Amino acid sequence: MNIYGKKTVLRALTGDDSAMLVELVNDPQTENMIGGKSYPVSFEEQCRWMEGQSGRTDILRCIVADRNLPGEGLGTVILGDIDHINGTAQVHIKMDAKKGRGKGYGLDALKTLTCYAFDEMRLNCIYAVIASYNKPSIGLFEKAGFMREGELRSRLFKKGSYHSCYMYSVIKKDPNPEQDGGIVAE
């Protein structure tokens, strides 16, 4: 099954996506903007990691692709820490710097996955933790209807110093004229 937005299709990861995923995880600009710590990853390591991901119910990983070119991955959008009892999940998004950023794919993918989570997975709250200096992601999440809930002080260590992170969330019942869904499952 694929999940369709207006501009994007969210599809399962395949072996063909390994090269794009390796580029994404090894891109220093992307790594600096996200939480956690990335380490250099080889193509072989990426393939082994992908093999171990099947059967998990606490995470939904999707490749973001253009609706017109579904085979070519532009990035990833992930629902992690899915809590089926409380109806919550954390969302992560990474877009390829050359092909996927600044073209509206990220916004469409984020809105599409959020609608899918609410309408099909029966989730109630989707949240994100964003580095305080990551202005593009802050703008993306706010445009997608997420609201800033608070600040986690000095939680992220990047480039020799500590940085705060902002907590963002969207609740299913939140009014959001921007969030018009457009989900079609095949």
Side-chain angles (χ1 to χ4, degrees):
M1 180 188 94
N2 292 328
I3 306 166
Y4 289 89
K6 290 184 176 182
K7 290 183 73 148
T8 60
V9 58
L10 309 182
R11 61 171 177 76
L13 283 71
T14 70
D16 293 340
D17 296 314
S18 293
M20 184 271 298
L21 292 170
V22 167
E23 281 185 44
L24 209 55
V25 77
N26 287 326
D27 177 41
Q29 180 186 12
T30 300
E31 194 280 330
N32 184 54
M33 298 304 262
I34 62 171
K37 189 68 179 165
S38 297
Y39 299 97
V41 175
S42 70
F43 182 80
E44 293 77 17
E45 288 172 310
Q46 183 65 44
C47 291
R48 280 194 301 275
W49 174 85
M50 285 180 67
E51 289 171 7
Q53 295 305 301
S54 65
R56 293 186 61 184
T57 60
D58 64 331
I59 195 161
L60 171 63
R61 288 186 173 88
C62 297
I63 293 294
V64 178
D66 186 304
R67 273 185 80 124
N68 299 317
L69 299 167
E72 183 179 345
L74 303 171
T76 62
V77 64
I78 300 166
L79 281 180
D81 297 324
I82 299 171
D83 180 337
H84 295 284
I85 293 170
N86 294 305
T88 63
Q90 183 174 6
V91 66
H92 308 268
I93 187 165
K94 289 184 195 176
M95 298 300 293
D96 181 274
K98 298 173 200 133
K99 298 183 245 175
R101 289 189 200 150
K103 298 178 175 106
Y105 294 118
L107 179 61
D108 188 69
L110 183 58
K111 289 168 55 174
T112 299
L113 186 62
T114 300
C115 287
Y116 180 79
F118 290 156
D119 297 342
E120 301 300 325
M121 297 177 71
R122 298 185 197 152
L123 297 181
N124 185 56
C125 175
I126 308 299
Y127 62 93
V129 180
I130 304 170
S132 60
Y133 57 82
N134 189 342
K135 303 300 183 207
S137 285
I138 290 169
L140 171 70
F141 278 83
E142 288 178 352
K143 193 168 185 182
F146 285 67
M147 294 187 294
R148 186 168 149 187
E149 292 186 332
E151 181 175 342
L152 301 171
R153 298 177 305 134
S154 296
R155 298 291 173 92
L156 180 64
F157 189 78
K158 295 283 183 172
K159 295 193 174 190
S161 61
Y162 287 94
H163 303 274
S164 294
C165 295
Y166 297 139
M167 293 289 301
Y168 276 83
S169 73
V170 64
I171 306 294
K172 183 175 182 173
K173 68 179 183 175
D174 285 345
N176 184 6
E178 290 280 331
Q179 202 147 352
D180 44 290
I183 297 170
V184 179
E186 286 190 52

